[in-house]
């Protein structure tokens, strides 16, 4: 009986180690979203996401979208949007968690990633499906 308990405990520890490794891999590969707050000045610059497009935020509150992907209700990319508009963050108290733009329709963006590698994302398609469009700071 003791041998069986010992084996179960050993398997349990291996399982815990395996789960820990998976959690670390998820964090380092970006599978887990870590909410961040950014100052308005930290948003200024270029954010891109490959075929998801590019947003260039300027100090004067304007944003230039280039090939920003637009999605259908299923979360599939259907077109790209380009244009110039305005951007704002909220809450606008020096540590913003979200951003909105008035060019290229879509949900507001939220900030995440890490301090060293900030990202922004927004939900696309059916919110229950958990599809996101993600841009990283260049």
């Amino acid at each position: 009986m003791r041998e069986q308990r010992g084996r179960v405990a050993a398997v349990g520890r291996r399982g815990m180690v395996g789960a820990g490794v998976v959690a670390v891999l998820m964090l380092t590969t970006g599978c887990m979203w870590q909410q961040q707050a950014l100052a308005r000045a930290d948003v200024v610059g270029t954010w891109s996401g490959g075929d998801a497009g590019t947003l260039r935020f300027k100090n004067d509150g304007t944003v230039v979208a280039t090939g920003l992907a637009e999605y259908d209700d299923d979360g599939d990319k259907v077109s790209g949007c380009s244009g110039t508009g305005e951007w704002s963050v909220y809450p606008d108290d020096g540590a913003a968690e979200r951003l909105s733009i008035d060019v290229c329709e879509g949900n507001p963006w939220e900030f995440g990633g890490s301090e060293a590698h900030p990202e922004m994302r927004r939900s696309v398609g059916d919110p229950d499906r958990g599809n996101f469009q993600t841009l990283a700071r260049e």
Side-chain angles (χ1 to χ4, degrees):
M1 187 113 174
R2 283 187 178 160
E3 287 180 28
Q4 285 180 332
R5 280 191 235 152
R7 274 191 236 135
V8 170
V11 170
R13 276 184 246 142
R14 277 188 289 208
M16 287 175 47
V17 170
V21 168
V22 169
V24 168
L25 286 172
M26 289 176 75
L27 284 171
T28 59
T29 60
C31 293
M32 292 180 69
W33 183 258
Q34 294 179 333
Q35 187 74 33
Q36 298 288 330
L38 294 180
R40 185 177 171 84
D42 294 330
V43 175
V44 174
T46 302
W47 298 71
S48 64
D51 68 345
T54 302
L55 291 174
R56 189 171 0 112
F57 298 95
K58 299 181 180 180
N59 282 326
D60 65 1
T62 58
V63 59
V64 177
T66 306
L68 190 64
E70 293 184 317
Y71 300 86
D72 63 15
D73 289 340
D74 293 326
D76 296 322
K77 181 180 174 182
V78 293
S79 65
C81 173
S82 297
T84 301
E86 295 182 355
W87 64 279
S88 59
V89 293
Y90 52 92
D92 193 13
D93 61 1
E97 296 174 0
R98 298 191 189 282
L99 174 136
S100 63
I101 60 175
D102 69 356
V103 62
C104 302
E105 292 184 28
N107 291 320
W109 298 85
E110 63 182 3
F111 298 117
S114 66
E115 286 185 38
H117 302 286
E119 295 179 330
M120 65 174 65
R121 74 176 185 181
R122 66 179 177 177
S123 175
V124 296
D126 182 349
D128 292 333
R129 293 189 182 197
N131 294 321
F132 294 94
Q133 177 181 22
T134 304
L135 304 178
R137 178 92 190 258
E138 289 186 358

